[in-house]
Amino acid sequence: MPLTVLYFAGAREAAGLAREALDLPAGTVADLRRALTARHPALARVLPRCRLAVNQEMASDAEPVPDGAEVAVIPPVSGGAPRCRVVERPLALDEAVEAVRGPGRGAVVTFEGDVRGETQGRPVVRLEYEAYLPMAERTLQRVADEVEREHGAAVAIVHRVGHLGPGEAAVVIACAAPHRTPAFRACEAAIERLKHEVPIWKREVFSDGSVWVGLGP
């Protein structure tokens, strides 16, 4: 599948070129991210914070990349990295930390929620997360904004969807404030509100069956 990939700003510096023509197997935006990182290892540092536009339209990681597409790798604009996202790719805690770090914020508190290997003694094969994506990202942003106002801490939340194995991160949160107390309180508030308000669903899959969390016995 032929593609043209355009790189801008920090992504251009990491890739070492402004554009290239590639011939890759058909796949999704997430597959393309992996292929670009394998081709240009320096992109591993910046690509998680970039959005990809396919034929001049922003695309989610789950969307297919059409044959002959022009794909633009778009780093965060000068306003900073998007702080609240739902993605279909492995998570890195650093991407949340970098979104909130700043002068005057001397305390950074983080949370990483990993997939457990068992639930009530039953070995977990995998978790399957799905989301109502547009609403989930808007709700994440609203939660972050309200937690920021309540506790005086910058908040970043990135949640993963798709199939995750034991030990993989499902969510990362970072909160930064001038002092540790508001940062700790903001982080706790963010994860509690995420679990109750954001339209993201989780199915636990075992060797002998599965259950949607919240709907099971």
Side-chain angles (χ1 to χ4, degrees):
M1 178 179 71
L3 300 173
T4 299
V5 182
L6 311 178
Y7 300 95
F8 296 93
R12 182 182 64 248
E13 292 182 356
L17 73 174
R19 65 184 295 145
E20 63 181 334
L22 300 177
D23 194 353
L24 299 174
T28 64
V29 170
D31 295 327
L32 178 57
R33 285 181 181 273
R34 287 188 285 269
L36 294 179
T37 301
R39 187 176 182 86
H40 306 292
L43 281 174
R45 181 180 59 84
V46 300
L47 199 56
R49 300 197 293 275
C50 296
R51 299 188 71 183
L52 269 62
V54 177
N55 293 331
Q56 301 185 14
E57 296 287 344
M58 290 298 186
S60 71
D61 281 3
E63 292 182 48
V65 180
D67 188 30
E70 178 185 88
V71 178
V73 180
I74 302 177
V77 297
S78 58
R83 293 183 292 110
C84 297
R85 287 165 290 160
V86 178
V87 301
E88 191 175 5
R89 56 169 171 77
L91 301 182
L93 187 58
D94 283 351
E95 65 183 297
V97 172
E98 290 303 314
V100 298
R101 193 188 299 277
R105 298 174 186 162
V108 180
V109 173
T110 62
F111 172 84
E112 178 176 313
D114 294 344
V115 177
R116 293 188 299 271
E118 65 174 47
T119 296
Q120 297 180 347
R122 299 176 72 187
V124 173
V125 175
R126 67 179 181 275
L127 296 188
E128 298 175 358
Y129 283 92
E130 67 177 69
Y132 180 18
L133 186 59
M135 182 178 176
E137 290 196 327
R138 285 198 299 270
T139 307
L140 280 179
Q141 189 60 62
R142 174 178 57 78
V143 166
D145 290 344
E146 292 174 0
V147 169
E148 286 182 351
R149 288 194 293 270
E150 181 178 357
H151 296 285
V155 179
I157 308 169
V158 187
H159 203 296
R160 185 177 173 185
V161 292
H163 293 187
L164 286 71
E168 292 189 271
V171 60
V172 292
I173 299 174
C175 300
H179 304 287
R180 66 181 181 274
T181 297
F184 273 110
R185 290 177 176 170
C187 197
E188 182 178 24
I191 186 60
E192 290 301 323
R193 292 192 56 179
L194 183 158
K195 291 170 63 177
H196 291 97
E197 299 179 34
V198 181
I200 297 175
W201 302 275
K202 176 175 69 175
R203 175 165 36 196
E204 290 183 309
V205 179
F206 310 98
S207 60
D208 58 351
S210 65
V211 61
W212 287 102
V213 175
L215 295 179

